[in-house]
Amino acid sequence: MRYISTRGGISPISFKDAVMMGLASDGGLLLPDSYPAVTRDQLESWRKFSYPELAFEIISRYVEDIPAVDLKSLINRSYSTFSHPDVTPMVKQDGLYILELFHGVTLAFKDVALQFLGNLFEYILAERNQKLNIIGATSGDTGSAAIHGVRGKKGISIFILHPHGKTSEVQALQMTSVTDDNVHNIAIRGTFDDCQDMVKELFGDLEFKEKYSLGAVNSINWARVLAQVVYYFYAWLRATDESDVPVNFAVPTGNFGDIFAGYVAKRMGLPVGKLLLATNENNILTRFINNADYSLGTVVSTASPSMDIQIASNFERYLFHLFDENPERVKTAFTELKEKGRISFSQEEMLIVREDFCSASVNHGATLLAIRKFFDDTAYLLDPHTAVGVKAALDLLPPDSARICLATAHPAKFSETVEQSLGFQPPVPESVKELYGKPTRCEVMDADISKVREFFISHIV
Ligand SMILES: *Cc1c(COP(=O)(O)O)cnc(C)c1O
């Protein structure tokens, strides 16, 4: 198994090199050169597996350069931090399956990938005697999951910029209450875009990047997608334990990362019907699937902020496959996007898209109503991201199929919206209550790149 770039500009590399490269050096995204097939017999033999056992079966098929004992230990350590024995338990409510992906330390599904990535980084860096300085901008979820993924890890330091006072209180505390020496929170007096622009500028300075071993943890790292493939298998096995029903997944989508993992599972042979791509008002991907209209709009803020995205970074991985693995076609598409603000697709391509995907966009009002209706019917609390997927599933997926909705965040993480919908706040989990008494550390700064650079240089590993 080797890794190649969607832009065709690198010679194939190993898994470990792909993890360390993150974004491909030709500007594309890394992908395996093939998808290992899983047979129905193999699938059946995995029914009794625990989550980490299943994770090993799937992940090891993509990793040829880490010994099995080491990979097992990395996986076991990554999922031992989850508060539920099943790691990603699935519950049935009102005829829908809810796949709870929020039992990790920061109560959102990003922990599933970032706990694993943090351990992988530490392992590879130790082996190569290298260091890594991670820098990133966050509006909330990714930053806290990344910080918890690498806190206390040897050879790594992390610098996360967030807009001062503009994340939810819980999100800010999940970041600033981590006071390990290798964790640096920087609150910028400005917007998320200011944070993002400064991070881009630092990465754009290639000399600086090289000199200080700059790394990223954004959703372009292949290891993150890979870790997420596992729960599609896990959920499929649980849903089909009793009977052989068709299985569809509903996935609230921002960067196309989580749903791309579902596509990978399908390519490996997991018998999945449709992947339902659910968006909020930022609906470019819904317009693409339903109307072949992939044209850029402007980002609007919604009740599901982790999906407020126009350019979904992982979409390029899917386009590579849609375009018959032809890097030239990928490059042409992105040139068109840059010049005309859209990508055009042929009718044949759209037929292929619609074989695997269907889509719906759920607006603010419908999201709030969905939270309330689901609670009235089941007494189960949905966070606003999950509610977008649930509403889309109820509208589009056949009720005689197993409809699996990915629950991407704990409702307490977005309690303001839940309260808006229900009139009361969701119960606060112990791990969130504990945050309030903890000491915090955070550097507050103006949106001044030279100050950020100075701070970074004086705190690297
Ligand atoms: C990041 C995130 C999403 C979107 O996931 P993508 O992989 O970007 O599609 C959905 N819900 C929550 C709670 C998130 O944090």
Side-chain angles (χ1 to χ4, degrees), residues 108-110 141-142 219 224 228 251-259 306-307 309 314 383 385-386 408-409 414:
F109 87 99
K110 293 191 171 70
D141 279 356
T142 308
S219 65
R224 284 185 64 177
Q228 292 169 208
V251 189
T253 303
N255 259 319
F256 207 84
D258 207 1
I259 197 157
S306 299
M307 292 154 57
I309 282 159
N314 274 287
D383 103 280
H385 303 78
T386 308
T408 52
F414 297 95

Side-chain angles (χ1 to χ4, degrees), residues 302-318:
T302 74
S304 41
S306 299
M307 292 154 57
D308 292 348
I309 282 159
Q310 278 295 328
I311 299 194
S313 49
N314 274 287
F315 190 54
E316 178 164 345
R317 288 195 160 106
Y318 176 65

Side-chain angles (χ1 to χ4, degrees), residues 16 18-22 74 114-128 130-132 134 146 149-150 153-156 215-218 221 223-224:
K16 283 192 290 200
V19 171
M20 296 316 292
M21 190 178 274
L74 289 171
L114 285 166
Q115 288 290 309
F116 179 59
L117 185 63
N119 284 317
L120 260 180
F121 275 150
E122 184 180 49
Y123 176 86
I124 301 171
L125 289 168
E127 199 178 66
R128 299 183 170 182
Q130 288 173 350
K131 303 215 181 300
L132 179 67
I134 293 169
V150 304
K153 298 251 183 306
K154 289 189 245 3
I156 309 177
V217 284
N218 46 21
N221 200 299
R224 284 185 64 177

